[in-house]
PDB file of all heavy atoms in Angstrom:
ATOM      1  N   ILE A 342      27.504  83.194 118.754  1.00  0.00           N
ATOM      2  CA  ILE A 342      26.832  84.183 117.950  1.00  0.00           C
ATOM      3  C   ILE A 342      26.818  83.755 116.509  1.00  0.00           C
ATOM      4  O   ILE A 342      25.802  83.899 115.797  1.00  0.00           O
ATOM      5  CB  ILE A 342      27.477  85.573 118.119  1.00  0.00           C
ATOM      6  CG1 ILE A 342      27.169  86.128 119.513  1.00  0.00           C
ATOM      7  CG2 ILE A 342      27.032  86.548 117.065  1.00  0.00           C
ATOM      8  CD1 ILE A 342      27.878  87.412 119.893  1.00  0.00           C
ATOM      9  N   GLU A 343      27.935  83.188 116.036  1.00  0.00           N
ATOM     10  CA  GLU A 343      28.037  82.759 114.627  1.00  0.00           C
ATOM     11  C   GLU A 343      27.016  81.684 114.308  1.00  0.00           C
ATOM     12  O   GLU A 343      26.379  81.784 113.239  1.00  0.00           O
ATOM     13  CB  GLU A 343      29.466  82.234 114.372  1.00  0.00           C
ATOM     14  CG  GLU A 343      30.542  83.290 114.414  1.00  0.00           C
ATOM     15  CD  GLU A 343      30.972  83.714 115.823  1.00  0.00           C
ATOM     16  OE1 GLU A 343      30.645  83.013 116.788  1.00  0.00           O
ATOM     17  OE2 GLU A 343      31.603  84.736 115.955  1.00  0.00           O
ATOM     18  N   THR A 344      26.779  80.730 115.193  1.00  0.00           N
ATOM     19  CA  THR A 344      25.782  79.703 114.935  1.00  0.00           C
ATOM     20  C   THR A 344      24.372  80.274 114.938  1.00  0.00           C
ATOM     21  O   THR A 344      23.584  79.971 114.057  1.00  0.00           O
ATOM     22  CB  THR A 344      25.844  78.604 116.018  1.00  0.00           C
ATOM     23  OG1 THR A 344      27.146  78.023 116.014  1.00  0.00           O
ATOM     24  CG2 THR A 344      24.866  77.497 115.790  1.00  0.00           C
ATOM     25  N   GLY A 345      24.130  81.124 115.878  1.00  0.00           N
ATOM     26  CA  GLY A 345      22.778  81.818 115.849  1.00  0.00           C
ATOM     27  C   GLY A 345      22.530  82.659 114.656  1.00  0.00           C
ATOM     28  O   GLY A 345      21.465  82.566 114.076  1.00  0.00           O
ATOM     29  N   LEU A 346      23.569  83.371 114.212  1.00  0.00           N
ATOM     30  CA  LEU A 346      23.403  84.165 113.056  1.00  0.00           C
ATOM     31  C   LEU A 346      23.188  83.320 111.779  1.00  0.00           C
ATOM     32  O   LEU A 346      22.415  83.654 110.927  1.00  0.00           O
ATOM     33  CB  LEU A 346      24.612  85.058 112.833  1.00  0.00           C
ATOM     34  CG  LEU A 346      24.723  86.348 113.585  1.00  0.00           C
ATOM     35  CD1 LEU A 346      26.033  87.024 113.384  1.00  0.00           C
ATOM     36  CD2 LEU A 346      23.533  87.259 113.302  1.00  0.00           C
ATOM     37  N   ALA A 347      23.911  82.210 111.721  1.00  0.00           N
ATOM     38  CA  ALA A 347      23.742  81.313 110.553  1.00  0.00           C
ATOM     39  C   ALA A 347      22.286  80.822 110.499  1.00  0.00           C
ATOM     40  O   ALA A 347      21.685  80.776 109.392  1.00  0.00           O
ATOM     41  CB  ALA A 347      24.704  80.147 110.659  1.00  0.00           C
ATOM     42  N   ILE A 348      21.723  80.460 111.614  1.00  0.00           N
ATOM     43  CA  ILE A 348      20.354  79.943 111.650  1.00  0.00           C
ATOM     44  C   ILE A 348      19.332  81.011 111.266  1.00  0.00           C
ATOM     45  O   ILE A 348      18.498  80.768 110.373  1.00  0.00           O
ATOM     46  CB  ILE A 348      20.011  79.353 113.035  1.00  0.00           C
ATOM     47  CG1 ILE A 348      20.871  78.065 113.266  1.00  0.00           C
ATOM     48  CG2 ILE A 348      18.493  78.984 113.133  1.00  0.00           C
ATOM     49  CD1 ILE A 348      20.840  77.591 114.696  1.00  0.00           C
ATOM     50  N   VAL A 349      19.433  82.201 111.874  1.00  0.00           N
ATOM     51  CA  VAL A 349      18.414  83.214 111.583  1.00  0.00           C
ATOM     52  C   VAL A 349      18.599  83.783 110.166  1.00  0.00           C
ATOM     53  O   VAL A 349      17.586  84.162 109.532  1.00  0.00           O
ATOM     54  CB  VAL A 349      18.306  84.345 112.619  1.00  0.00           C
ATOM     55  CG1 VAL A 349      17.930  83.779 113.972  1.00  0.00           C
ATOM     56  CG2 VAL A 349      19.622  85.084 112.723  1.00  0.00           C
ATOM     57  N   SER A 350      19.805  83.865 109.669  1.00  0.00           N
ATOM     58  CA  SER A 350      19.925  84.389 108.331  1.00  0.00           C
ATOM     59  C   SER A 350      19.491  83.362 107.294  1.00  0.00           C
ATOM     60  O   SER A 350      18.873  83.757 106.281  1.00  0.00           O
ATOM     61  CB  SER A 350      21.404  84.829 108.057  1.00  0.00           C
ATOM     62  OG  SER A 350      22.289  83.727 108.148  1.00  0.00           O
ATOM     63  N   GLU A 351      19.723  82.076 107.516  1.00  0.00           N
ATOM     64  CA  GLU A 351      19.227  81.080 106.598  1.00  0.00           C
ATOM     65  C   GLU A 351      17.660  81.038 106.622  1.00  0.00           C
ATOM     66  O   GLU A 351      17.062  80.808 105.575  1.00  0.00           O
ATOM     67  CB  GLU A 351      19.772  79.710 106.930  1.00  0.00           C
ATOM     68  CG  GLU A 351      21.183  79.474 106.421  1.00  0.00           C
ATOM     69  CD  GLU A 351      21.277  79.468 104.916  1.00  0.00           C
ATOM     70  OE1 GLU A 351      20.477  78.814 104.263  1.00  0.00           O
ATOM     71  OE2 GLU A 351      22.176  80.119 104.387  1.00  0.00           O
ATOM     72  N   ALA A 352      17.108  81.183 107.784  1.00  0.00           N
ATOM     73  CA  ALA A 352      15.632  81.189 107.898  1.00  0.00           C
ATOM     74  C   ALA A 352      14.997  82.353 107.140  1.00  0.00           C
ATOM     75  O   ALA A 352      13.932  82.257 106.597  1.00  0.00           O
ATOM     76  CB  ALA A 352      15.197  81.166 109.356  1.00  0.00           C
ATOM     77  N   ASP A 353      15.692  83.514 107.177  1.00  0.00           N
ATOM     78  CA  ASP A 353      15.327  84.686 106.425  1.00  0.00           C
ATOM     79  C   ASP A 353      13.857  85.047 106.634  1.00  0.00           C
ATOM     80  O   ASP A 353      13.116  85.232 105.695  1.00  0.00           O
ATOM     81  CB  ASP A 353      15.594  84.467 104.936  1.00  0.00           C
ATOM     82  CG  ASP A 353      15.565  85.827 104.172  1.00  0.00           C
ATOM     83  OD1 ASP A 353      15.841  86.881 104.776  1.00  0.00           O
ATOM     84  OD2 ASP A 353      15.267  85.770 102.945  1.00  0.00           O
ATOM     85  N   GLN A 354      13.467  85.176 107.873  1.00  0.00           N
ATOM     86  CA  GLN A 354      12.122  85.526 108.230  1.00  0.00           C
ATOM     87  C   GLN A 354      12.082  86.943 108.791  1.00  0.00           C
ATOM     88  O   GLN A 354      12.951  87.309 109.540  1.00  0.00           O
ATOM     89  CB  GLN A 354      11.517  84.560 109.276  1.00  0.00           C
ATOM     90  CG  GLN A 354      11.417  83.144 108.756  1.00  0.00           C
ATOM     91  CD  GLN A 354      10.449  83.039 107.592  1.00  0.00           C
ATOM     92  OE1 GLN A 354       9.322  83.485 107.676  1.00  0.00           O
ATOM     93  NE2 GLN A 354      10.915  82.488 106.481  1.00  0.00           N
ATOM     94  N   PRO A 355      11.087  87.716 108.459  1.00  0.00           N
ATOM     95  CA  PRO A 355      11.057  89.120 108.884  1.00  0.00           C
ATOM     96  C   PRO A 355      10.984  89.268 110.423  1.00  0.00           C
ATOM     97  O   PRO A 355      11.380  90.304 110.959  1.00  0.00           O
ATOM     98  CB  PRO A 355       9.792  89.699 108.205  1.00  0.00           C
ATOM     99  CG  PRO A 355       8.972  88.549 107.878  1.00  0.00           C
ATOM    100  CD  PRO A 355       9.876  87.362 107.626  1.00  0.00           C
ATOM    101  N   ASN A 356      10.427  88.296 111.101  1.00  0.00           N
ATOM    102  CA  ASN A 356      10.361  88.384 112.568  1.00  0.00           C
ATOM    103  C   ASN A 356      11.467  87.595 113.258  1.00  0.00           C
ATOM    104  O   ASN A 356      11.433  87.433 114.469  1.00  0.00           O
ATOM    105  CB  ASN A 356       8.972  87.897 113.072  1.00  0.00           C
ATOM    106  CG  ASN A 356       8.709  86.465 112.725  1.00  0.00           C
ATOM    107  OD1 ASN A 356       9.388  85.892 111.875  1.00  0.00           O
ATOM    108  ND2 ASN A 356       7.718  85.872 113.377  1.00  0.00           N
ATOM    109  N   GLY A 357      12.421  87.069 112.504  1.00  0.00           N
ATOM    110  CA  GLY A 357      13.480  86.283 113.109  1.00  0.00           C
ATOM    111  C   GLY A 357      14.597  87.171 113.641  1.00  0.00           C
ATOM    112  O   GLY A 357      14.824  88.278 113.185  1.00  0.00           O
ATOM    113  N   GLY A 358      15.287  86.629 114.628  1.00  0.00           N
ATOM    114  CA  GLY A 358      16.433  87.393 115.216  1.00  0.00           C
ATOM    115  C   GLY A 358      17.053  86.652 116.355  1.00  0.00           C
ATOM    116  O   GLY A 358      16.664  85.494 116.654  1.00  0.00           O
ATOM    117  N   LEU A 359      17.983  87.267 116.978  1.00  0.00           N
ATOM    118  CA  LEU A 359      18.676  86.720 118.158  1.00  0.00           C
ATOM    119  C   LEU A 359      18.267  87.507 119.368  1.00  0.00           C
ATOM    120  O   LEU A 359      18.313  88.716 119.420  1.00  0.00           O
ATOM    121  CB  LEU A 359      20.164  86.822 117.971  1.00  0.00           C
ATOM    122  CG  LEU A 359      20.834  85.942 116.900  1.00  0.00           C
ATOM    123  CD1 LEU A 359      22.305  86.226 116.836  1.00  0.00           C
ATOM    124  CD2 LEU A 359      20.598  84.478 117.151  1.00  0.00           C
TER     125      LEU A 359
END
Side-chain angles (χ1 to χ4, degrees):
I342 288 174
E343 292 78 15
T344 302
L346 280 175
I348 292 168
V349 297
S350 64
E351 280 294 314
D353 196 28
Q354 296 298 307
N356 62 342
L359 292 176

